Amino acid sequence: MGCCGDDDDDDREPPPRTPDLSPPPPSAAAASSSSSASAADDSTISPMNSHFSALACRDTLRLIFEKLPVPDLARATCVCRIWSSVASDRDMVTRAFAAPWRLKEVVGVPSSGSFWRDNGVGKFAISHRIKRGDSVASLAVKYSVQVMDIKRLNNMMSDHGIYPRERLLIPISNPDILIDSTCYIERDNHAREVAMLYPEGVRDIEISSLLKRTTSEQGKKRILDSLRRSMQVDDGTAQYYLSISDGDPRAALSEFSEDLRWERRVGLA
């Protein structure tokens, strides 16, 4: 039998252990994930990190926006004031509008900026001057489109609606005809703005000749009003460009667009 001191030590309960509340060391996988997330945050371009200063430079924004399609340019105008001013630039929007179809030039100024937001093929139309013997059916065959599509585009109820008209709008069936073409932003008879295509080498509507033949002031005023709406200018300015273009409204639009581009280059607009 042992001594009394030994017995007392054997019967005594050990002191309770204090729980370790310190967080466990992160595992290798968690550390790797955290490091990746941090790197991703640092490389994300947003207004919340240091990279945003690069997106406040107009030259940088212009280089980026030149690669964007029309819908994305429209979204960029909603970000902030500087983005809106760059993304709304007339030349940039025009290039974005023309790029998918490889247009040579877009002439004219739409009355609303919403015109640029949709550059689907339905935005374009061929202007066909009606000649003797033309019918809706024959034009549908010539341009490889459906009769109903021609009627719908021109708001025609029947085939007889062709007779009181000087021209018909023909929908685009083959987008390849837009390549290297010049389109003119014009209003049709129903005040809709359309990117009008005139077949190369064919003056479908010789408005300049019509202007010279027309003796009534009403006919001249109608042409001048159409040109004024397309340019978004006053009567005097529209009359000036019409006069220096020998009465050709499309040439007047071209002169006006060229002057606008020059003013932007020198910083006047």
Side-chain angles (χ1 to χ4, degrees), residues 187-248:
R187 289 180 180 271
D188 63 8
N189 294 331
H190 305 282
R192 298 172 302 187
E193 289 185 315
V194 183
M196 207 78 71
L197 175 68
Y198 294 85
E200 184 179 359
V202 179
R203 309 283 286 189
D204 286 334
I205 305 178
E206 295 292 346
I207 304 180
S208 58
S209 298
L210 176 64
L211 182 62
K212 295 174 182 177
R213 294 196 309 265
T214 303
T215 56
S216 66
E217 290 299 325
Q218 183 179 2
K220 295 179 181 179
K221 186 177 184 303
R222 185 171 61 252
I223 295 173
L224 188 62
D225 286 345
S226 176
L227 189 62
R228 176 179 53 80
R229 288 194 302 268
S230 296
M231 292 180 174
Q232 295 185 26
V233 296
D234 54 39
D235 288 342
T237 303
Q239 181 63 59
Y240 165 75
Y241 280 99
L242 192 63
S243 63
I244 66 174
S245 303
D246 296 327
D248 186 342

Side-chain angles (χ1 to χ4, degrees), residues 47-48 92 111 129 239:
M48 302 304 294
M92 179 172 296
S111 60
R129 184 181 183 181
Q239 181 63 59

